[in-house]
Amino acid sequence: MKRLRQLLLLLSILLIGLSWWGIIAARSGLVVRSFEQESIPLMYLAPQQAQAVPGVLIAHGYAGSKQLMLGYAHVLARAGYATMLWDFDGHGANSNQLQRFELQQNLNVALNVLLKQPEVDRTRLALLGHSMGSGIVMSAGIEQVLFAAAIAVSPTGASVTSQAPRNLQLQAGSWEGRFIANAQQLLAAGGGSNDNFAAGTARELVIVPNAEHITILFNDASHQAALRWLNATFNQSSTSNYVDRRMGWYGLHLLGWLDRASILCGLDKVEEQFFIANLMECP
């Protein structure tokens, strides 16, 4: 029994080590910087040694955080884009009180920090947002013409026209009917599908297969659709072979720690099942 425990403990350590290798490897080849501006936590990812590349603001949804949007940031950064994520007030690591009218100001803070990064071409900027964040980025794209493209994932609402925001891509998961309906209404208000990127009036609706409101964030089809749209906007041919598997690595990490903790606590099988179900810690 003692030898079995030792082997299981070794296995748990290997799982934890493997998970950390996968998480760290996801950042290889990238510049990663963290900031805090006006009590807003921000994270910046860009290709190493990049010069004058397009910048993309990436906004999370209600009850979300910048961590949930890292799949888009990794794919875009590996394809040659500089990306900036942040936690809206009242979300993630942001301890500021949530006030709806301040969320646009949060985006403006993130924009100012993005523009200060040495890799960013200040004349080529775009926006991407999910759910609540989609409404914020569409509104920013309507109000500020400096943004060449806006990507709204699981879109809410905005005063979209045929001219603004520029080059609007709408995405919705095939299993989130209400957001598909929102996207269809926005597409109609925006003048319908077209590929007139030069004029800034391109419009598209992408239905991501087998995805709902949360899983769409980890869906490679969504990530690649966003990359394709930005490439068309900025006339780039960059590609990314990166597939975001960080959630799998995090799950493996959790499994390793649960296994290790149950062994060290010396629990029998029934107690171990109770431990896992309740995420208890050793006393």
Side-chain angles (χ1 to χ4, degrees):
M1 179 63 72
K2 182 178 180 180
R3 184 173 180 80
L4 177 59
R5 288 183 182 276
Q6 289 175 339
L7 290 173
L8 290 175
L9 182 59
L10 178 61
L11 176 61
S12 70
I13 293 172
L14 288 174
L15 289 176
I16 293 169
L18 181 62
S19 67
W20 274 111
W21 174 85
I23 293 167
I24 293 171
R27 294 189 172 191
S28 64
L30 301 178
V31 173
V32 181
R33 303 185 186 119
S34 295
F35 307 91
E36 183 169 311
Q37 190 77 19
E38 298 184 24
S39 300
I40 300 172
L42 304 105
M43 181 181 293
Y44 172 80
L45 290 84
Q48 289 181 354
Q49 300 178 339
Q51 293 183 342
V53 299
V56 186
L57 294 176
I58 301 177
H60 66 78
Y62 182 75
S65 72
K66 62 183 180 297
Q67 301 298 328
L68 291 178
M69 306 300 291
L70 276 170
Y72 296 98
H74 280 290
V75 169
L76 294 178
R78 289 179 178 277
Y81 291 86
T83 62
M84 181 68 74
L85 310 93
W86 68 97
D87 289 333
F88 280 116
D89 287 351
H91 292 77
N94 188 328
S95 59
N96 293 331
Q97 184 177 357
L98 174 62
Q99 298 186 61
R100 177 77 184 186
F101 63 87
E102 294 290 351
L103 298 184
Q104 193 68 54
Q105 178 59 28
N106 290 174
L107 183 147
N108 290 335
V109 170
L111 172 61
N112 289 334
V113 177
L114 176 67
L115 293 176
K116 293 177 182 178
Q117 304 313 305
E119 298 86 1
V120 176
D121 182 349
R122 298 166 61 97
T123 67
R124 295 191 293 166
L125 301 172
L127 302 148
L128 185 153
H130 172 246
S131 194
M132 175 189 76
S134 74
I136 302 300
V137 302
M138 284 189 289
S139 295
I142 291 167
E143 295 170 4
Q144 304 183 55
V145 296
L146 74 161
F147 296 111
I151 299 170
V153 181
S154 303
T156 53
S159 301
V160 170
T161 69
S162 60
Q163 301 296 316
R166 298 173 63 196
N167 296 332
L168 174 64
Q169 183 191 68
L170 302 157
Q171 294 190 23
S174 62
W175 296 342
E176 49 174 359
R178 180 164 65 89
F179 292 94
I180 292 177
N182 288 348
Q184 291 170 335
Q185 292 175 2
L186 289 166
L187 183 64
S193 299
N194 74 87
D195 59 358
N196 197 350
F197 289 95
T201 59
R203 301 284 185 263
E204 178 184 55
L205 170 56
V206 176
I207 303 299
V208 179
N210 305 320
E212 46 76 52
H213 199 58
I214 300 301
T215 58
I216 193 172
L217 300 178
F218 310 106
N219 192 302
D220 191 55
S222 175
H223 303 160
Q224 294 298 328
L227 173 58
R228 173 179 53 78
W229 193 254
L230 294 177
N231 281 344
T233 295
F234 296 114
N235 195 28
Q236 299 198 160
S237 58
S238 54
T239 60
S240 173
N241 295 322
Y242 174 80
V243 177
D244 187 48
R245 296 190 175 95
R246 289 172 307 102
M247 294 308 293
W249 292 120
Y250 286 128
L252 191 65
H253 181 80
L254 177 61
L255 178 63
W257 273 107
L258 289 174
D259 189 33
R260 178 179 181 274
S262 65
I263 294 167
L264 294 179
C265 287
L267 303 175
D268 62 28
K269 189 63 178 177
V270 174
E271 291 172 322
E272 182 180 345
Q273 290 175 350
F274 181 80
F275 167 83
I276 292 173
N278 293 276
L279 298 180
M280 293 176 64
E281 297 180 355
C282 295

